[in-house]
Structures are given as C-alpha cells and as structure tokens.
C-alpha cells in the first residue's frame, strides 16, 4: 500500500533515491535505522517522501525528525509540494 502512496513522488526521484526510500520503509518495519550518505544525494527528499507516505496512508499522524537548524531552509524548499508536513523548531 505504501508503494502506491509514494509512486507519484518516485517519478521525480533518482534511482539511488528510490533505493533509499525503499530501504527506509524496510528499516521502519524492522524497528528503525539511520539514513546516512554523502552530502547532496537527496536524503531530505527521501525522508520527506517516506514521511508523506506514512501520513497519507494513515500509518502515522506525527513523526519527530531531529536535524541541525541550518537544514530547515533545505527542508522547507523540498517539502513545498507536501504542505501537510509542518515543522516546529525547538
């Protein structure tokens, strides 16, 4: 079911990002994981894709993501097409 939820966004993902999203779904089902990769490979877009799919599928209502404050501008730019995703700086 989750695959169909994020299929539309998958059309804009690069192959390595699709692989990252699939890995994140598997990690969630296995109890969690850490997505770590070189800078500039699209981790923000991958995480937003997964979070959006989980929320749209009704699997999650709230998800806590911790990140350095200097990444909030990147997050806002990438999540623009997904207005349901909000952030609250701490």
């Amino acid at each position: 079911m989750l695959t169909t939820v994020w299929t539309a966004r998958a059309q804009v993902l690069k192959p390595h990002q699709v692989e990252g999203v699939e890995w994140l779904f598997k990690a969630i089902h296995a109890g969690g994981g850490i997505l770590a990769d070189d800078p500039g490979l699209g981790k923000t877009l991958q995480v937003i894709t997964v979070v959006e799919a989980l929320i749209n599928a009704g699997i999650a209502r709230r998800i806590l993501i911790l990140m350095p404050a200097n990444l909030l501008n990147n997050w806002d730019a990438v999540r623009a097409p997904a207005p349901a995703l909000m952030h609250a700086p701490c």
Side-chain angles (χ1 to χ4, degrees):
M1 174 170 174
L2 283 176
T3 305
T4 58
V5 172
W6 70 276
T7 300
R9 188 176 293 273
Q11 295 173 3
V12 300
L13 297 175
K14 296 176 181 171
H16 70 276
Q17 293 169 327
V18 171
E19 185 178 328
V21 169
E22 291 170 346
W23 180 87
L24 280 169
F25 283 131
K26 289 177 187 174
I28 289 167
H29 290 293
I34 296 173
L35 179 64
D37 212 336
D38 291 328
L41 294 178
K43 293 177 295 298
T44 301
L45 181 58
Q46 293 173 56
V47 170
I48 288 173
T49 300
V50 170
V51 168
E52 184 180 32
L54 293 172
I55 290 171
N56 288 341
I59 294 172
R61 285 186 45 216
R62 296 180 185 166
I63 297 174
L64 175 65
I65 298 173
L66 303 174
M67 71 181 94
N70 63 338
L71 293 179
L72 286 176
N73 288 338
N74 293 355
W75 180 268
D76 285 339
V78 175
R79 78 170 179 87
L85 306 180
M86 300 172 31
H87 72 269
C90 298

